[in-house]
Amino acid sequence: MRTGGNVITAVVGALFPVRCAGCGRITDPVCPVCPACAAGLRRAPVLAVPPTLDAWGAAFAYEGVAREIVARVKYRNERGPLPWLADAMVRALPEHPGPAAVVTWAPASAGHRRRSGFDHGELLARAVARRLDLPAARLLVRDAGPAQTGLGRKARSPGPPLHPAGTGARCRSVLLVDDVVTTGATLGAAAGALRRGGARRVVAVTAAATPPRPR
């Protein structure tokens, strides 16, 4: 016998079918990836942890289906994949940030927020925070400057211009959330700003990490 929640899920799935981000087949309403495509997702590559971080984990390699799902959240404001992504990110945590921790995010550029009307990093951070039963707070402010997306490795290296938003991180452990890591510059800049704001420990988790290019 179906419970009330299962009945609602079944009705919603029938009226608004969810299609797999990989193959386009209709899939489970609570999962944006069918089992066959999920089996092809690769774990995130092992990359060096930026020196300003205490630990960092990532859920997936930023390629194929994982790349498409992140793009849907980041550029198309699709909220359906958020729970699935947040679950994967929690599983990828290198360590639990602690019961007194706070969850924050690396802010998107002003241009991205203006075009899209939202900050995808905040959406991810709040979804992760709910699963860990931790508070989420805006602890970073991003000054004017170009988006990291599309820049070369050298241009990315300083990271975006970030500074702490008040003293909310003081004497606290912070879990820093971001969507994709390519060079680690954004995470490094964000963690440095959090420490300037008083954070004693900064652990990061991202939805994906870009595999290194073959030499």
Side-chain angles (χ1 to χ4, degrees), residues 177-204:
V177 170
D178 202 5
D179 58 346
V180 180
V181 165
T182 299
T183 65
T186 297
L187 287 185
L194 289 168
R195 292 191 189 278
R196 293 196 298 275
R200 291 184 175 179
R201 186 166 184 79
V202 183
V203 175

Side-chain angles (χ1 to χ4, degrees), residues 106-109 140-148 151 155-163 178 183-190 193 196:
S109 67
L140 293 167
V141 174
R142 184 166 180 162
D143 295 330
Q148 294 288 94
L151 296 179
R156 283 174 180 263
S157 60
L162 298 170
H163 63 266
D178 202 5
T183 65
T186 297
L187 287 185
R196 293 196 298 275

Side-chain angles (χ1 to χ4, degrees), residues 13-100:
L15 294 176
F16 307 101
V18 174
R19 295 192 176 274
C20 172
C23 64
R25 296 191 184 96
I26 293 175
T27 187
D28 190 319
V30 300
C31 181
V33 183
C34 73
C37 289
L41 289 166
R42 286 206 307 155
R43 294 179 63 179
V46 178
L47 301 175
V49 178
T52 49
L53 284 173
D54 292 290
W56 162 55
F60 304 112
Y62 187 52
E63 60 186 16
V65 177
R67 185 181 184 117
E68 174 64 18
I69 291 172
V70 171
R72 289 183 182 196
V73 172
K74 184 172 183 175
Y75 298 112
R76 305 175 209 169
N77 197 15
E78 290 192 15
R79 307 294 177 94
L82 280 171
W84 181 85
L85 270 180
D87 287 340
M89 293 168 73
V90 168
R91 291 193 297 270
L93 273 172
E95 59 184 68
H96 194 286

Side-chain angles (χ1 to χ4, degrees), residues 163-178:
H163 63 266
T167 58
R170 182 163 292 170
C171 301
R172 303 185 78 167
S173 172
V174 178
L175 174 58
L176 173 64
V177 170
D178 202 5

